[in-house]
Amino acid sequence: MDKVSIIVLVWNKAKISTQCIASIIESTKHPYELIIIDNGSEPALDTYFAKKLRRRNNIKVIRNSRNEGFPQGCNIGMQHATGKHVLLLNNDTIVTPYWLTRMVSS
């Protein structure tokens, strides 16, 4: 199975962003890397990333010093992507089991 690079842009909204990320981690069995682009969020979200995510080898957190906007943030994420497929996912999305496997096999 080919690896998918999942790019999620976040800017503040810690609750929905962390729910989205948790659902990806819990529900994704297909090979993936998660690239989180933090578009200059407040420190609380950066603290979550530092404590919960940076120790995972398939998750990259890239923090911009300011909000670069959605298109530029996505471009930054795609520059770091190493998967065969790239998926841009909104940070208010909650995924379900086997979502990515079904999507790639379609």
Side-chain angles (χ1 to χ4, degrees):
M1 287 193 269
D2 296 322
K3 180 172 72 174
V4 177
S5 298
I6 304 168
I7 300 169
V8 178
L9 226 67
V10 300
W11 182 62
N12 295 320
K13 305 207 185 231
K15 183 176 180 179
I16 64 169
S17 296
T18 56
Q19 289 173 338
C20 172
I21 293 163
S23 76
I24 293 168
I25 293 168
E26 293 167 8
S27 297
T28 308
K29 305 301 181 214
H30 191 93
Y32 74 97
E33 67 177 347
L34 177 58
I35 303 169
I36 301 166
I37 305 297
D38 182 349
N39 245 347
S41 296
E42 295 176 5
L45 200 52
D46 194 46
T47 300
Y48 168 81
F49 295 148
K51 288 183 178 178
K52 301 286 184 178
L53 303 178
R54 289 203 170 119
R55 62 185 160 199
R56 294 177 173 266
N57 62 2
N58 68 330
I59 298 177
K60 300 174 190 173
V61 178
I62 299 160
R63 190 173 196 316
N64 296 328
S65 59
R66 63 186 176 100
N67 188 342
E68 298 288 343
F70 186 79
Q72 181 62 22
C74 289
N75 287 337
I76 292 167
M78 287 186 282
Q79 289 172 353
H80 289 87
T82 62
K84 180 175 180 181
H85 308 285
V86 174
L87 173 68
L88 304 176
L89 190 67
N90 287 340
N91 69 326
D92 62 351
T93 304
I94 303 297
V95 300
T96 58
Y98 303 104
W99 71 282
L100 190 57
T101 301
R102 289 190 306 262
M103 186 178 293
V104 172
S105 66
S106 296

